[in-house]
Amino acid sequence: MSERINTKVLIVGGGPGGYVAGIRCGQLGLETVLVEAERLGGTCLNVGCIPSKAIIHVAGEFETMAHAAKAPLNGISLSAAPKIDFAETVKWKDGVVKRLNTGVAGLLKRAKVRVVEGWAVFSDAKTCTVKTKDGEVTIAAEHVILANGSVPVELPFLPFGGKVISSTGALALPVLPKRLAVVGAGYIGLELGIAFRKLGVEVTVVEALDRILPLYDAQLVAPVAKWLEKNGVALHLGAKAKGLGKDGLAAELKDGSTVDIAADNILVTVGRKPATEGWGLENMAVDMDGRFVKVDDQCRTAMKNVWAVGDLVGEPMLEHKAATQGEMVAEIIAGHKRRFDPMTIAAVCFTEPEIVSAGMSPHEAEGEDVITAVFPFMANGRALSMDGGDNGGFVRILARKSDHRVLGIQAVGAHVSELSNEFSLALEMGAVLEDIAGTIHVHPTLGEAFHESALRALGHAIHI
Amino acid sequence: MGRYVFKLPDVGEGTAEAEIVAWHVKVGDDIHEDQNMVDVMTDKATVEMTSPVTGKVVALHGEPGQMASVGSPLVELEVEGAGNAKANGQAAPEKKVEAPAKPVATPAPKPEKVAAKPVARAAVHPATFVLEEGDRPLAAPAVRQRARDRGVDLRLVPGTGPAGRITHEDLDAYIAAGGRVAARGGGTSYAPREGVEEVKVIGLRRRIAESMQNSKRRIPHFAYVEEIDMTELEDLRAHLNKTRRDDQPKLNVLPFLMRALVKVLPAYPQINARFDDEAGVVHRHAAVHIGIATQTANGLIVPVVRHAEARDVWDSALEVARVSAAARENKASKEDLTGSTITITSLGALGGVATTPVINYPEVGIIGPNAIVERPVVRGGQIVVRKMMNLSSSFDHRVVDGYDAAEFIQKIKALLEHPATLFMD
Ligand SMILES: Cc1cc2nc3c(=O)[nH]c(=O)nc-3n(C[C@H](O)[C@H](O)[C@H](O)COP(=O)(O)OP(=O)(O)OC[C@H]3O[C@@H](n4cnc5c(N)ncnc54)[C@H](O)[C@@H]3O)c2cc1C
């Protein structure tokens, strides 16, 4: 059976960029078809944000219990060491994912978006063909929203397969490896590497640059580096993965020597690249911006009425950016005036401890006359009461000296991901230090450290 | 750590220089082997220059719009190992750099936009604040969205909040005052628009600009416009389109006009010509190679239908479609883009009464059909409705006399008005 559909809006990709665009299109009364080859929710829901955070959560619980089994932990002791059946963990994680998948499907249905399952291939900018299990469907649309997302970058000398896995593989391992080598110390590599370490795996990280988490400045990253050291994660900086070794990963260290890092699995997380291949992008006459599809601040491509959002269009490759752009494009198609002009897109790293950054870093603010103030969690009651005071965490605020306008806010510490939205809100609202200082913060919370950082910038912190 | 100097390689036969059209890296970037660094444009093609090595960019030479000569340094990289240059930045001669050059399939980049600079409004508003260059106005998302909905440029709105933050009230006041500027005249709800956008003329746009200037500066143009009754030709065309075979293309007016040109041109050899004005020689061509002015996403390109004299209307139509599609997709070969002896430029589809087309230097004539419109005309004392088309044309007065040009156009008119004669010898 072959079918032809004509629709107002065609969306390719059911990740956060695509499905949010779909729901919003539906709400706005636009006739919409969404094509997804795998599962609704895209990278984020199926193999990214959600499953990784689920595993990280389990790893944290396990670590606490393991600790209590070794020595009493704040009065808690366990008589036997905890055991983990990783297959069960993965099953639980899959359950969480499934619930969300179904949720997304339901939301799309409620918005009257038709979902076509299969891989879309474009013959021209407004027409694609999808091979579905019921036959071929050709879809022609007035507007096309590309939300094809991204895929992991593969190293040619360490192709995925066998013991070499991508983040997707790591989140679905049937059994825990004894020893894990991680290639690449970006956020995905370290989030997963740290989680596996907490689960008792011996972890070795190989990174070509001279530092971990190059997106964040050295001061922010220091507590994470400290954790890695304290917890016996072997870290090789300035080292290059070379290929499979006899017993694991062959790597050339900074001093030029070659080592064979014993590993049952090698997790390659050297970045992600936009999914630009295999679906006829070349037939669409859109311009490129390096590897990414080029868009303007309304997510328009060079081709009329072809839009692109999310990981496909550039950094930062983050869920909240993709979703915001998807929502915006739907509204523009419906005739609203919208523009993608956030003051900030905060980024969070779910390492141990967590890192969050919004707005300018001290490095980016170079040349401006700024005040920088740091407030350590060591002096925050809530952090201490959660055993999160001694990991080197802090909140740092950056404001312009002349008018106290807040330019950037960063934090590192236990659970600081939850502060990210307060940081973003402050920046979006154009807060000055006095606004934050003048907002009563609930006690006892981690947010008080933010309040205190503003007070400190004004020269009168209370608790330090 | 060594230094590696990447020089502009020889990008094609005899090319001595190329224009830098876009940088894809900046100083401080860590780049890997094969990463695209810069696009350069030669005579006809845009070429992507990729890095032969992995390293950190420490210097870039030249800006988009500038010409770089073959062998001149484009990019300097800091690399592991010795590199190919001494510490003082001089390229070591022994290691030759061969750049992998591959033509880019995408169209040449559009002229780069230079960001519009915000306008400081200190003079108009008793300054609560002055925006510094590149600064964004400070306002909460809800205020920004309301401004967008109302078409207000927030950079013009004085903010009264801390650090010059624009409040809802500030925006209300600005709108109520009709953008403040109009307030004296009684007030309207239209906000004034300000700001100047600078767009660099580079790449294809620069080529077009240069060749237009060259044509107009060198050639004393004269224009001639005549009206032609296309009624019969339109009937014939409709008939042919209705009865055409599946393998035959749909015909528009162009192939008929081409047919008329090739029939009349032998009697006017001075019009089917290229004038080498430096040597003082007119090359009169026997073959009729017709340039077809084509609008592409990047600007005007003139692909060529070669040997139009040897093509019937169907074949002419097919070839026009082929070369103009090639031009639009940036896939035209050098052959497709050079050597025309006369050019047709048609803005007919957009309407318009007459044009004064610019001759495609070094040719000496250009024909521009205008839109066909039904209009009342007098025939045998009766007012009747006919399908009329103006035909605009320009000629190089140095080698084509007005009298000859007018005669030439009259003959074309006669052929088009009696379409059967187009096909009679
Ligand atoms: C391990 C990991 C952890 C992450 N953690 C975070 C985090 O904590 N926070 C955060 O903000 N971001 C995180 N990300 C990034 C986040 O997942 C992405 O930024 C986000 O999913 C991008 O959304 P998208 O809609 O652009 O694309 P995707 O989510 O990649 O969705 C694209 C979808 O399009 C489909 N598709 C592509 N081409 C076609 C075609 N031709 N036909 C049909 N279907 C097609 C794909 O199957 C896919 O489902 C993480 C990513 C990974 C891998």
Side-chain angles (χ1 to χ4, degrees):
Chain A
M1 195 192 71
S2 78
E3 187 189 348
R4 194 179 165 85
I5 305 176
N6 287 309
T7 180
K8 173 89 176 176
V9 184
L10 161 64
I11 301 170
V12 177
Y19 86 73
V20 170
I23 293 173
R24 193 70 188 114
C25 280
Q27 290 174 343
L28 291 161
L30 302 168
E31 189 197 0
T32 305
V33 176
L34 184 148
V35 186
E36 169 57 59
E38 306 213 348
R39 279 184 298 164
L40 290 172
T43 302
C44 162
L45 227 159
N46 297 296
V47 295
C49 326
I50 298 298
S52 64
K53 269 83 252 185
I55 300 290
I56 288 167
H57 167 73
V58 168
E61 306 266 77
F62 183 82
E63 187 207 24
T64 312
M65 292 187 224
H67 201 119
K70 259 192 236 137
L73 184 66
N74 311 332
I76 305 177
S77 52
L78 289 176
S79 50
K83 283 196 226 93
I84 183 160
D85 177 348
F86 196 64
E88 276 302 311
T89 305
V90 169
K91 216 156 109 194
W92 165 75
K93 179 260 313 182
D94 287 343
V96 172
V97 167
K98 181 103 192 292
R99 233 163 84 190
L100 291 164
N101 283 141
T102 322
V104 170
L107 292 170
L108 285 168
K109 194 162 171 207
R110 201 168 70 197
K112 300 204 168 57
V113 175
R114 172 161 175 193
V115 176
V116 174
E117 286 173 31
W119 182 254
V121 178
F122 281 83
S123 49
D124 64 50
K126 305 285 167 57
T127 322
C128 74
T129 312
V130 187
K131 284 208 179 69
T132 73
K133 58 181 191 310
D134 305 320
E136 200 169 272
V137 181
T138 302
I139 308 169
E142 201 177 306
H143 291 271
V144 172
I145 305 176
L146 300 174
N148 304 64
S150 61
V151 291
V153 170
E154 195 174 42
L155 291 171
F157 47 84
L158 271 177
F160 296 132
K163 60 163 71 168
V164 182
I165 54 176
S166 67
S167 56
T168 304
L171 295 169
L173 282 173
V175 285
L176 275 182
K178 267 193 138 58
R179 296 154 310 178
L180 176 72
V182 180
V183 181
Y187 86 94
I188 295 180
L190 284 192
E191 283 185 7
L192 294 175
I194 288 174
F196 280 105
R197 181 68 203 125
K198 288 182 178 177
L199 291 169
V201 177
E202 279 174 39
V203 176
T204 306
V205 178
V206 174
E207 164 61 49
L209 295 179
D210 272 335
R211 44 167 314 187
I212 58 169
L213 298 171
L215 230 58
Y216 302 95
D217 60 86
Q219 193 185 10
L220 266 185
V221 164
V224 177
K226 206 174 98 191
W227 189 94
L228 293 176
E229 197 187 311
K230 207 170 120 198
N231 288 274
V233 172
L235 184 60
H236 298 294
L237 295 175
K240 288 198 197 88
K242 285 286 175 195
L244 279 178
K246 262 210 320 288
D247 197 20
L249 174 71
E252 185 186 310
L253 301 188
K254 199 172 182 176
D255 61 13
S257 64
T258 314
V259 290
D260 191 358
I261 298 166
D264 309 305
N265 280 113
I266 300 167
L267 170 59
V268 178
T269 51
V270 291
R272 297 183 59 83
K273 61 177 184 196
T276 50
E277 278 160 28
W279 49 273
L281 177 63
E282 56 285 356
N283 300 328
M284 302 188 77
V286 302
D287 284 352
M288 301 298 289
D289 180 8
R291 311 177 294 165
F292 296 103
V293 169
K294 184 170 176 178
V295 291
D296 66 8
D297 61 1
Q298 291 190 300
C299 289
R300 293 175 193 275
T301 67
M303 172 57 90
K304 193 172 150 64
N305 291 349
V306 174
W307 314 77
V309 301
D311 285 2
L312 190 63
V313 302
E315 300 287 356
M317 291 205 232
L318 292 174
E319 192 278 350
H320 38 295
K321 185 206 72 173
T324 307
Q325 290 182 331
E327 184 184 353
M328 175 191 74
V329 168
E331 298 190 347
I332 296 174
I333 293 175
H336 299 258
K337 293 192 181 116
R338 296 289 181 268
R339 208 159 279 286
F340 189 69
D341 67 346
M343 295 298 297
T344 183
I345 304 173
V348 168
C349 187
F350 291 83
T351 40
E352 185 61 57
E354 295 174 353
I355 301 179
V356 50
S357 177
M360 283 187 187
S361 67
H363 178 69
E364 283 161 340
E366 250 168 48
E368 293 235 30
D369 207 0
V370 296
I371 316 172
T372 310
V374 168
F375 190 86
F377 281 116
M378 212 168 54
N380 174 273
R382 182 61 181 146
L384 291 173
S385 73
M386 291 192 305
D387 238 351
D390 295 323
N391 56 14
F394 59 85
V395 176
R396 183 176 66 197
I397 194 165
L398 219 85
R400 196 151 57 196
K401 206 172 205 159
S402 58
D403 56 14
H404 290 182
R405 175 175 174 181
V406 178
L407 300 176
I409 313 159
Q410 290 84 25
V412 50
H415 305 292
V416 293
S417 55
E418 295 298 340
L419 295 180
S420 59
N421 299 317
E422 179 175 4
F423 296 172
S424 296
L425 184 64
L427 290 165
E428 290 295 345
M429 297 298 286
V432 292
L433 291 171
E434 288 79 356
D435 289 324
I436 295 158
T439 302
I440 298 179
H441 280 68
V442 171
H443 178 73
T445 58
L446 295 177
E448 287 175 280
F450 179 44
H451 185 229
E452 288 271 15
S453 72
L455 288 175
R456 200 168 190 198
L458 293 168
H460 48 80
I462 302 293
H463 289 96
I464 195 159
Chain B
M1 285 278 167
R3 183 164 284 226
Y4 185 95
V5 180
F6 176 84
K7 297 173 176 178
L8 180 63
D10 187 354
V11 277
E13 342 77 80
T15 312
E17 56 176 15
E19 179 182 340
I20 298 169
V21 283
W23 286 108
H24 298 297
V25 295
K26 55 184 188 312
V27 171
D29 280 0
D30 287 311
I31 65 171
H32 54 77
E33 192 179 328
D34 281 338
Q35 183 168 338
N36 184 12
M37 297 189 293
V38 54
D39 293 344
V40 301
M41 185 170 176
T42 67
D43 241 10
K44 293 293 173 220
T46 302
V47 183
E48 230 172 46
M49 292 288 144
T50 54
S51 175
V53 295
T54 296
K56 186 193 201 77
V57 178
V58 292
L60 300 179
H61 297 286
E63 279 175 12
Q66 281 179 359
M67 304 302 292
S69 41
V70 168
S72 67
L74 274 182
V75 183
E76 290 179 38
L77 299 160
E78 204 172 81
V79 294
E80 297 226 333
N84 68 345
K86 302 203 190 80
N88 62 9
Q90 288 296 308
E94 61 278 3
K95 259 197 192 165
K96 215 177 137 225
V97 188
E98 270 308 336
K102 55 174 183 284
V104 190
T106 49
K110 306 233 173 67
E112 193 165 297
K113 284 190 184 162
V114 178
K117 295 186 179 117
V119 192
R121 299 264 298 174
V124 186
H125 306 295
T128 40
F129 76 111
V130 180
L131 277 186
E132 286 177 20
E133 253 183 45
D135 241 7
R136 290 175 48 186
L138 190 55
V143 175
R144 300 199 307 256
Q145 185 53 50
R146 267 184 66 220
R148 216 173 285 136
D149 286 338
R150 302 293 297 260
V152 173
D153 181 351
L154 271 186
R155 285 177 311 205
L156 306 178
V157 181
T160 57
R165 183 161 66 208
I166 303 161
T167 62
H168 281 286
E169 290 73 25
D170 293 333
L171 181 59
D172 289 340
Y174 183 82
I175 293 171
R180 189 72 63 102
V181 181
R184 256 161 271 134
T188 81
S189 61
Y190 300 123
R193 287 191 262 265
E194 294 193 32
V196 179
E197 192 182 38
E198 290 172 25
V199 179
K200 270 195 180 176
V201 177
I202 62 171
L204 183 61
R205 196 70 248 167
R206 175 157 96 177
R207 289 269 142 73
I208 296 170
E210 283 169 359
S211 79
M212 288 300 153
Q213 186 171 44
N214 192 34
S215 288
K216 271 293 199 179
R217 193 169 49 212
R218 289 177 106 131
I219 307 178
H221 283 63
F222 76 92
Y224 184 76
V225 184
E226 172 60 313
E227 63 172 12
I228 299 180
D229 184 341
M230 299 290 280
T231 315
E232 282 187 37
L233 182 69
E234 283 296 280
D235 287 348
L236 171 65
R237 195 168 74 81
H239 171 72
L240 288 173
N241 276 337
K242 202 151 59 191
T243 55
R244 76 196 158 95
R245 296 194 310 265
D246 280 351
D247 61 338
Q248 288 174 322
K250 216 160 170 186
L251 298 172
N252 58 18
V253 173
L254 215 54
F256 296 96
L257 182 59
M258 293 166 78
R259 194 73 226 134
L261 279 180
V262 301
K263 272 196 77 129
V264 179
L265 277 171
Y268 298 89
Q270 72 272 41
I271 293 178
N272 189 47
R274 293 165 72 90
F275 180 19
D276 181 348
D277 51 4
E278 262 153 29
V281 179
V282 177
H283 300 275
R284 297 180 166 183
H285 287 259
V288 182
H289 301 316
I290 303 181
I292 305 290
T294 303
Q295 192 62 36
T296 71
N298 300 302
L300 175 73
I301 290 185
V302 187
V304 182
V305 172
R306 307 187 86 80
H307 287 294
E309 75 282 3
R311 298 177 191 274
D312 62 15
V313 286
W314 302 108
D315 192 31
S316 296
L318 280 173
E319 187 64 3
V320 168
R322 185 189 72 78
V323 296
S324 47
R328 270 194 285 269
E329 287 152 21
N330 208 25
K331 287 181 187 147
S333 63
K334 193 158 176 144
E335 176 90 339
D336 288 337
L337 292 172
T338 51
S340 55
T341 57
I342 189 164
T343 292
I344 298 179
T345 173
S346 170
L347 293 175
L350 298 179
V353 179
T355 48
T356 55
V358 178
I359 295 166
N360 188 13
Y361 177 89
E363 291 157 38
V364 302
I366 184 163
I367 312 283
N370 298 105
I372 297 178
V373 282
E374 286 193 293
R375 338 190 248 269
V377 293
V378 179
R379 287 278 184 276
Q382 296 285 319
I383 295 180
V384 289
V385 174
R386 305 289 289 176
K387 293 179 173 149
M388 303 300 290
M389 180 185 87
N390 286 355
L391 188 66
S392 304
S393 55
S394 298
F395 297 94
D396 183 342
H397 216 332
R398 294 172 300 178
V399 294
V400 181
D401 290 334
Y403 187 88
D404 293 337
E407 230 183 39
F408 171 72
I409 295 295
Q410 290 306 325
K411 290 204 171 143
I412 288 179
K413 172 183 164 95
L415 284 169
L416 294 176
E417 290 193 341
H418 305 285
T421 59
L422 276 174
F423 306 100
M424 288 169 63
D425 287 317

